[in-house]
Amino acid sequence: MAVNDNKIQNNLSKQNVLLYIMPQKIQKRRLEDMKTGAKKKGIQISQNYSSSVTHVVSEFTNLEQVLRILEVKTEAEIKDQHIVKIAWFIESIKAGHPVPVEIQHKIQLIMPKIQEEEKNVEPVIPEWACQRATPFKHFNEQFTEPLEILEKYAELRDQEQDYSRALAFRRASCVLKSLPYKVTNISSLKNIKDIGGHSSRVIKEILEDGYCQEVEDIVNDPWFHKMKLFSSIFGVGPSTAKKWIEKGWNNLQDINIEDLRNDWRVIWGVAFHEELMDSVSRTEADVFAQIVREEAEKILPGVSVVLTGGFRRGKPIGHDVDLLLTHPDVGSEIGLLATLLQRLEEKELILCGNHERSSFSPEVYQRDFKLSMRGQLDHFEKWLGICKFPKTFIEGCSDILTQINVTKKSVIKGSLDDCDEPKTKFRKLSSKALSPVDVFKSKRDWKARRVDLIISPFDQHYYALVGWTGNKHFNRDLRLYSQRVLNMKLTSHGLYDLSKNVTVPASSEKEVFENLNLTFREPSDRNC
Ligand code: UTP
Ligand code: MN
């Protein structure tokens, strides 16, 4: 009887166990033997890591390395999984069934050892940011946040030297994000060329005092606050923000709508600022992307709609929704956006926006764009605007798609009559009685969200995908690297070999990296 019970228990536990053996640091032959051994004992093996895996077996000695490779951001995500040493596997094979996981089997987090490494081993840091993995969650926020305040301040001042100053702070911040440990000692950074004198002083001060006085002064500077506020408005850049401050405007209430007559973005941006400032969640972005996908599919079967920008890099929230559309048949995408916008308008999902025609011509590949603070403008056909996201998107209801398909009783449409004449057929569709401010104040069941819809011909698509995935600093670095190291011109439209005078095509994102002689980086590692 006892024997039978034991058998049942073993069989049950085998059914409930799904192993994933991390291939890293294990010889191929040995890995195959391990898998065969497990199969013989009836233990299930998963070829890939997923949330249904119950036991992760690894040769690594530090949990931090395991989490990084599995792309797990926090320990909480693996709370239902055992991360175990090979020893546990061997015992289980010997026992003929998975043995209970005990403390000696677990791979532990070893922080002191890592800091030891920091002190004793010179980190090998590739020169270019695009050669490094830069995750969204990292160990050095204590330094990167203040450095990025300094970057923002220089960017907003926008005077001579400020661009290179801003870039220097960003380079320092970016390299700190790629370090697999928390910096505790300034001397460990002495050979990192991306950390210049100024940044180094900032880091040292934070290490010694817990804060940096220069950063504190900026954070408490009223000019900085006003500049940040004004330049966060849709359609307002640092130069407009400066003009407003010079007029004596201090806050949103001071803005005189009459002065903004000729810019529709600013008029709507000011009216809806409060709402546009709250973050877009991943759920909302996914729901909207799905609606666009379904509508686009009806117009052009086989169309691809990718959610790019920060969301593609794994950010849980964003300031807008960036959707990149393409179709494998080059040319078939022409006309798609106009029809799509009409459909979205019929579904009452559009508040206001501007449809820009493509300005692409082959010479764009090689034209010498100046790399500027605001990044590079591309030449794709696109629509930049503000959409109306029904509140149900935000709550993430499962039946949203059907709800949207039912034509709703009209909500009040905003007026663009006060703005400059719409340049596109589409914008004329959005016009009724109320002013943007009245629309904002009206009782409504939607929230305003910034949306970018970009159309790329398929032969440019993978370069567009890299460009629109970002982030901005990753792109900037990638483009500078291409120019300096490869003598090639990289844009969102393609790669141009300046030595051979030819464009280099790519039929996948991996190929874009191959063409650039770089190790492929997952979007989640492009958070520079
Ligand atoms: P965003 O400004 O939307 O940034 O541009 P983001 O990284 O998604 O950040 P949040 O989360 O919305 O705040 C997305 C990417 O598209 C590129 C940017 O460089 C960035 O990498 N981009 C943006 C272009 O290539 N061209 C543009 O005209 C605008
Ligand atoms: Mn975005």
Side-chain angles (χ1 to χ4, degrees), residues 308-311 318-322 452:
T308 60
F311 289 117
H319 95 283
D320 66 356
V321 180
D322 307 295
D452 293 345

Side-chain angles (χ1 to χ4, degrees), residues 71-118:
E71 296 191 356
V72 169
K73 300 277 186 280
T74 61
E75 276 184 74
E77 279 178 61
I78 48 145
K79 71 177 186 341
D80 297 320
Q81 294 175 330
H82 298 290
I83 312 290
V84 291
K85 299 175 189 168
I86 305 265
W88 173 86
F89 180 84
I90 295 170
E91 280 179 43
S92 299
I93 295 294
K94 276 189 189 155
H97 61 85
V99 297
V101 174
E102 297 185 2
I103 185 84
Q104 73 275 12
H105 296 131
K106 293 185 180 177
I107 299 176
Q108 309 281 354
L109 196 62
I110 318 169
M111 289 309 273
K113 182 132 188 274
I114 296 174
Q115 285 174 12
E116 208 53 38
E117 277 170 24
E118 178 204 351

Side-chain angles (χ1 to χ4, degrees), residues 76 85 123 155 157 219 243 320 328 348 354 386 473 509:
K85 299 175 189 168
E155 195 182 304
R157 273 207 330 198
V219 170
K243 280 186 203 139
D320 66 356
E348 313 233 348
N354 189 35
I386 304 177
H473 187 66
E509 214 184 18

Side-chain angles (χ1 to χ4, degrees), residues 271-275 435-444:
F272 279 85
H273 183 260
E274 185 187 316
E275 217 160 274
S435 76
V437 175
D438 289 336
V439 180
F440 176 72
K441 288 183 185 157
S442 68
K443 195 168 174 327
R444 53 200 161 86

Side-chain angles (χ1 to χ4, degrees), residues 309-310 313 315 318-320 322 376 378 467-472 475:
R313 301 194 309 274
K315 278 176 66 176
H319 95 283
D320 66 356
D322 307 295
Q376 286 176 328
D378 61 45
W468 277 88
T469 298
N471 66 1
K472 204 167 87 174
N475 287 346

Side-chain angles (χ1 to χ4, degrees), residues 309-369:
F311 289 117
R312 186 155 185 263
R313 301 194 309 274
K315 278 176 66 176
I317 54 172
H319 95 283
D320 66 356
V321 180
D322 307 295
L323 296 178
L324 181 64
L325 288 80
T326 192
H327 189 282
D329 300 333
V330 176
S332 70
E333 76 286 351
I334 296 167
L336 166 67
L337 186 54
T339 315
L340 177 65
L341 287 167
Q342 239 155 25
R343 300 279 173 90
L344 297 177
E345 177 80 23
E346 282 158 17
K347 287 185 180 296
E348 313 233 348
L349 290 171
I350 289 193
L351 182 63
C352 60
N354 189 35
H355 181 175
E356 285 174 35
R357 304 286 164 211
S358 162
S359 56
F360 176 80
S361 66
E363 61 137 1
V364 153
Y365 287 126
Q366 48 183 309
R367 199 187 295 158
D368 198 18
F369 292 105

